[in-house]
């Protein structure tokens, strides 16, 4: 069994500062897998399987927890926290990964490349406080991979993009800079863009891969759950299943960073509550008219802002209802105990 030091696992002063005297008997461990009734974690003693003391959704791969060897007693606040609105009809946030230095947004140099979807991933990555890295796969099958690289980097000055042949280990080794020296790289993207192929090259594993569909260039799911795995370069990799639905929530800071040019223009509008429609003195309208601001980019900004605000408010309201219901149940139980005391 491979053993790691805390430093090997990504431990830092950020986590050490959260420890108290009462935590002395507990052992820090980093979560490598999250299941419904069990957590798999890595510690200096090796791999441990833990009973969660909170709902499974409260944990994310990459989290640090304090354990007594059997249960996850307390989760430490993460440095970075990737999350989205839960898929489907559920109202709530879904944590994707934690404590990653870099989020690798994987897309292909083909029909999978989609600016609007990439902006969603970028907003989520920036909101988590992690660095975004756009990884363009299938560069060997494209006549001009540099054109895709330029398109990605034009989205924000914060974006670094790299085009690779995922099937060439030497080419993939260019990603080692982001997953060495105990650093963690998380891979996000649609199915079939080559995340599993990248994972195999970076970790030395041999997970099965599937070909993309010839009719639309889209792929099939290979990765079925998130997992933290050691890389050959001495860091960590979190591979994630392909996302069919990515609803933003709580990513307003990320949107402000991603669309900094538009945010700067809105601050120059005559009215602070300008809707950028028919108001006089609108800097945004002026930029749209003279062509310095692209209309499609502005439309996407408005759409993502509305979505993030709506989802954030919906989740906040749902949490408030849950807290209110919890108080009602607690009061009812207290009254019932008080009544039984008189009857006894």
């Amino acid at each position: 069994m491979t053993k790691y030091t805390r430093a090997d696992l990504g431990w830092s002063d950020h986590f050490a500062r959260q420890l108290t005297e009462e935590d002395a008997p507990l052992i820090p461990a980093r979560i490598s897998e999250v299941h419904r009734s069990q957590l798999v974690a890595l510690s200096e003693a090796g791999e441990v399987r833990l009973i969660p003391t909170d709902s499974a959704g409260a944990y994310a791969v990459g989290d640090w927890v304090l354990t007594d060897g059997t249960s996850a007693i307390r989760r430490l606040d993460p440095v970075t926290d990737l999350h989205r609105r839960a898929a489907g009809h559920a109202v709530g946030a879904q944590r994707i990964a934690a404590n990653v230095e870099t989020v690798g947004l994987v897309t292909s140099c083909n029909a999978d490349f989609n600016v609007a979807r990439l902006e969603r991933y970028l907003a989520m990555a920036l909101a988590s406080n992690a660095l975004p890295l756009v990884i363009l796969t299938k560069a060997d099958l494209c006549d001009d991979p540099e054109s895709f690289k330029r398109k990605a980097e034009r989205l924000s000055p914060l974006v670094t993009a790299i085009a690779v042949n995922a099937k060439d280990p030497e080419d993939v080794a260019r990603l080692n800079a982001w997953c060495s020296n105990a650093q963690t790289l998380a891979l996000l993207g649609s199915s079939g863009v080559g995340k599993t192929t990248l994972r195999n090259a970076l970790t030395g594993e041999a997970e099965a891969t599937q070909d993309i569909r010839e009719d639309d260039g889209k792929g099939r799911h290979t990765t079925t759950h998130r997992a933290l795995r050691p890389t050959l370069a001495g860091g960590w990799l979190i591979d994630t299943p392909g996302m069919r639905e990515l609803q933003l929530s709580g990513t307003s800071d990320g949107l402000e960073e991603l669309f900094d040019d538009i945010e700067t223009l809105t601050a120059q509008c005559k009215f602070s509550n300008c809707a950028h429609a028919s108001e006089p003195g609108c800097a945004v309208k002026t930029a749209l008219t003279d062509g310095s601001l692209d209309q499609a980019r502005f439309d996407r900004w408005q759409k993502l802002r509305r979505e993030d605000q709506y989802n954030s408010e919906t989740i906040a309201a749902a949490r408030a209802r849950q807290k209110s219901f919890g108080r009602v149940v607690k009061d009812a139980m207290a009254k019932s105990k008080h009544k039984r005391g008189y009857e006894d």
Side-chain angles (χ1 to χ4, degrees):
M1 179 183 294
T2 304
K3 290 188 177 181
Y4 303 98
T5 66
R6 291 186 192 178
D8 291 337
L9 292 168
W11 183 263
S12 68
D13 290 342
H14 170 84
F15 305 109
R17 286 192 294 268
Q18 297 180 52
L19 301 181
T20 66
E21 292 182 3
E22 296 177 353
D23 296 325
L26 302 178
I27 302 168
R30 194 174 185 196
I31 296 177
S32 58
E33 296 179 26
V34 177
H35 303 285
R36 288 187 178 181
S37 59
Q38 181 179 247
L39 305 174
V40 181
L42 300 173
S43 71
E44 290 178 305
E47 184 177 277
V48 291
R49 295 181 180 272
L50 305 173
I51 300 170
T53 53
D54 205 338
S55 63
Y59 304 93
V61 171
D63 265 332
W64 279 93
V65 296
L66 300 179
T67 172
D68 58 2
T70 302
S71 302
I73 304 300
R74 181 161 72 89
R75 180 176 65 85
L76 300 180
D77 293 335
V79 177
T80 60
D81 193 358
L82 273 169
H83 65 275
R84 64 169 177 174
R85 173 172 172 158
H89 300 293
V91 178
Q94 179 188 28
R95 300 187 67 219
I96 299 170
N99 300 312
V100 303
E101 281 78 15
T102 307
V103 180
L105 307 175
V106 188
T107 185
S108 304
C109 296
N110 58 19
D112 177 79
F113 187 91
N114 183 293
V115 168
R117 185 176 64 231
L118 195 52
E119 284 175 337
R120 286 178 176 272
Y121 280 110
L122 284 168
M124 182 175 66
L126 291 169
S128 76
N129 291 321
L131 295 174
L133 172 68
V134 176
I135 304 173
L136 299 156
T137 59
K138 309 186 192 303
D140 53 312
L141 303 178
C142 175
D143 293 333
D144 186 14
E146 283 298 312
S147 65
F148 288 92
K149 184 174 179 289
R150 289 192 296 270
K151 288 178 184 177
E153 292 182 334
R154 275 200 298 265
L155 295 178
S156 170
L158 299 171
V159 172
T160 298
I162 182 170
V164 299
N165 173 4
K167 295 183 178 181
D168 182 349
E170 291 187 6
D171 203 21
V172 176
R174 293 158 60 203
L175 296 175
N176 286 347
W178 290 278
C179 57
S180 60
N181 300 319
Q183 295 182 92
T184 303
L185 169 67
L187 299 181
L188 275 68
S190 305
S191 299
V193 294
K195 296 194 304 299
T196 302
T197 304
L198 289 173
R199 169 180 166 176
N200 289 345
L202 291 170
T203 65
E205 295 179 318
E207 293 290 326
T209 60
Q210 296 191 41
D211 295 329
I212 63 171
R213 299 194 297 257
E214 294 183 359
D215 57 344
D216 58 7
K218 295 183 179 180
R220 304 173 177 86
H221 286 289
T222 301
T223 301
T224 57
H225 66 280
R226 302 175 188 92
L228 177 74
R229 295 290 182 263
T231 66
L232 298 173
W236 298 92
L237 185 75
I238 298 178
D239 190 10
T240 64
M243 295 183 185
R244 290 194 177 95
E245 181 180 348
L246 180 58
Q247 287 279 318
L248 298 183
S249 174
T251 55
S252 59
D253 290 345
L255 289 171
E256 288 179 7
E257 288 190 82
L258 178 60
F259 294 96
D260 178 67
D261 56 330
I262 301 180
E263 295 288 346
T264 299
L265 286 172
T266 62
Q268 299 171 8
C269 290
K270 182 176 180 180
F271 301 104
S272 59
N273 61 343
C274 183
H276 319 302
S278 58
E279 296 88 346
C282 176
V284 172
K285 280 175 52 184
T286 299
L288 289 171
T289 300
D290 65 23
S292 58
L293 175 60
D294 179 62
Q295 181 70 52
R297 178 173 168 79
F298 173 69
D299 291 341
R300 294 195 301 271
W301 171 73
Q302 285 194 310
K303 178 181 179 181
L304 292 177
R305 283 186 70 217
R306 287 194 298 266
E307 178 184 307
D308 180 74
Q309 182 177 7
Y310 173 78
N311 287 339
S312 298
E313 290 175 351
T314 301
I315 291 173
R319 286 174 176 167
R321 286 195 299 271
Q322 291 171 355
K323 287 183 179 180
S324 178
F325 179 72
R327 285 194 295 269
V328 170
V329 172
K330 187 176 180 180
D331 290 344
M333 291 177 65
K335 289 178 181 178
S336 176
K337 290 181 181 179
H338 182 69
K339 183 177 179 181
R340 286 200 303 271
Y342 276 114
E343 291 176 347
D344 292 342

